[in-house]
Amino acid sequence: MKKIIIIAFLLVVIAAGGWVYRSHRNGTEAALTLFGNVDIREVTLGFRVPGKLIRLECDEGDKVEAGQAIAHLDTEPYSNQVAVARAKVESMHARLELLETGYRPEEIAQAQALVNEREATVANAERLFKRSEEMLATKAVSTQDRDNAAAGFEEAGARLKSAHENLALLEAGFRPEEIAQAKANLAQAEAELSIARLQLEDTLLVAPSEGVVLVRAQEAGAILQAGATVFTLSLVKPVWIRAYVHEPDLGHIHPGMKVEVRTDSSPDKTYYGQIGYISPRAEFTPKTVETAELRTALVYRLRIVVDNPDEGLRQGMPVTVTISNKD
């Protein structure tokens, strides 16, 4: 009888323990706690062109706004390049305008006058030749004189033909191929001017977005190559949290889900955000996540976008993420 009582008591204890475990588990399923860090977003800034660094506008720790000028190169070499390129464009444009307009009216008039002059010369040479032919029949002139008159007549005709061709050439203007080449030369000069202007603009370094200067890598007077680092900038917006979730809990979260974020430095202050991205690939938990049970487990990385960030969230800071309404 005692054995029966003992067995019944043990069954009651086991059942009660199971009820307590299930109650505790159901209560904790209402909230999921994750661990992560404020994601570091940095950008390395430098000039696209080489040159002498003449001035820096900010130092480490300074806040900068998007579009703010933060460093300057010596602009004189690039200003000279712009001036040379602009002069070349003007020269090519003048050349094209000359070809498209054609020859001046004065040049055409001069060619026409030459034609008229040589027409008169031809007429006179023709009269002399005919007269010598007639006089040769009466033996008034020698055969040599008649031949000289014939040669003069032919020469005058050839000179007249040359004058007519020169006039036609002036009236027709320049060849289409010459005009096409001039247009191509002008386009090339304009492209070179655009490049020179862009290089001049690149002597000014501006902040691409709002941030804080982490590193000032150069000082005024340095001769820089293109792409050399001048500043390292930490972006302040957007603020993302990089967190990790166990595979069993993966089915209870989804993008767009609301979360709460807290830091160790201000545990009473709550930041709000939402899940923006869940990685499709599993990975080992990074060492920066200081939880014993997660350190050796495969987890999925997710990105949380903070809606109300402030200076309390520093880059790389460890945070605790709470998801209060699991589906």
Side-chain angles (χ1 to χ4, degrees):
M1 185 66 180
K2 290 182 179 180
K3 291 182 179 180
I4 295 174
I5 294 174
I6 292 173
I7 292 172
F9 177 75
L10 291 175
L11 292 174
V12 170
V13 171
I14 292 172
W19 178 81
V20 170
Y21 170 77
R22 288 191 298 272
S23 299
H24 175 73
R25 184 181 179 187
N26 291 336
T28 57
E29 280 188 345
L32 175 64
T33 300
L34 306 178
F35 301 91
N37 301 83
V38 178
D39 206 358
I40 298 177
R41 295 292 166 178
E42 298 179 0
V43 58
T44 300
L45 304 180
F47 294 96
R48 291 199 300 182
V49 295
K52 181 179 179 180
L53 184 61
I54 59 172
R55 189 166 73 254
L56 295 99
E57 303 288 356
C58 52
D59 208 337
E60 295 178 356
D62 290 347
K63 293 182 179 180
V64 296
E65 301 294 331
Q68 177 180 337
I70 56 178
H72 305 263
L73 289 180
D74 182 10
T75 62
E76 184 175 358
Y78 296 99
S79 298
N80 293 337
Q81 290 181 8
V82 169
V84 171
R86 184 183 296 113
K88 186 175 180 180
V89 167
E90 294 173 355
S91 175
M92 293 297 102
H93 188 274
R95 173 64 179 169
L96 176 59
E97 186 176 359
L98 183 150
L99 294 178
E100 289 179 333
T101 303
Y103 294 95
R104 292 178 298 175
E106 294 82 1
E107 293 175 311
I108 296 176
Q110 186 178 10
Q112 181 64 59
L114 182 60
V115 168
N116 296 339
E117 176 186 341
R118 291 185 177 178
E119 285 178 345
T121 301
V122 167
N124 185 53
E126 184 179 11
R127 286 193 298 269
L128 290 176
F129 172 66
K130 289 181 178 180
R131 186 179 305 157
S132 64
E133 282 282 348
E134 294 173 354
M135 294 177 67
L136 180 63
T138 61
K139 305 298 183 177
V141 295
S142 66
T143 304
Q144 183 63 48
D145 291 337
R146 191 278 311 270
D147 292 342
N148 291 338
F153 177 48
E154 291 179 1
E155 182 181 356
R159 289 179 177 274
L160 176 59
K161 182 180 179 181
S162 175
H164 274 296
E165 291 175 351
N166 183 60
L167 175 61
L169 181 63
L170 295 179
E171 291 177 337
F174 294 91
R175 292 184 299 175
E177 295 81 3
E178 292 178 307
I179 296 176
Q181 182 180 9
K183 288 181 178 179
N185 291 339
L186 175 59
Q188 179 181 354
E190 289 175 340
E192 292 173 355
L193 176 58
S194 297
I195 293 174
R197 285 173 173 168
L198 181 60
Q199 290 178 337
L200 178 60
E201 292 175 0
D202 285 338
T203 59
L204 176 64
L205 183 61
V206 300
S209 58
E210 183 183 1
V212 177
V213 176
L214 293 181
V215 178
R216 171 172 164 164
Q218 303 290 344
E219 294 298 331
I223 304 299
L224 305 180
Q225 297 298 321
T229 299
V230 179
F231 290 109
T232 300
L233 189 66
S234 174
L235 306 181
V236 299
K237 292 180 181 179
V239 174
W240 293 340
I241 303 297
R242 185 190 297 265
Y244 300 85
V245 61
H246 257 306
E247 189 276 334
D249 295 318
L250 191 61
H252 298 292
I253 63 175
H254 57 79
M257 215 169 182
K258 301 297 183 181
V259 303
E260 296 180 355
V261 179
R262 293 181 177 83
T263 64
D264 294 338
S265 59
S266 301
D268 296 331
K269 182 176 179 59
T270 301
Y271 299 92
Y272 299 95
Q274 57 183 339
I275 299 175
Y277 166 77
I278 301 175
S279 174
R281 183 177 60 184
E283 57 186 280
F284 286 102
T285 308
K287 293 181 180 180
T288 54
V289 180
E290 301 296 339
T291 55
E293 62 178 1
L294 293 179
R295 194 169 299 162
T296 59
L298 284 173
V299 292
Y300 289 85
R301 176 170 49 89
L302 56 92
R303 177 189 298 162
I304 296 168
V305 182
V306 180
D307 297 332
N308 60 331
D310 58 19
E311 294 185 356
L313 292 178
R314 299 283 181 171
Q315 299 289 349
M317 177 181 290
V319 296
T320 301
V321 179
T322 303
I323 305 176
S324 60
N325 54 342
K326 292 169 60 179
D327 293 343

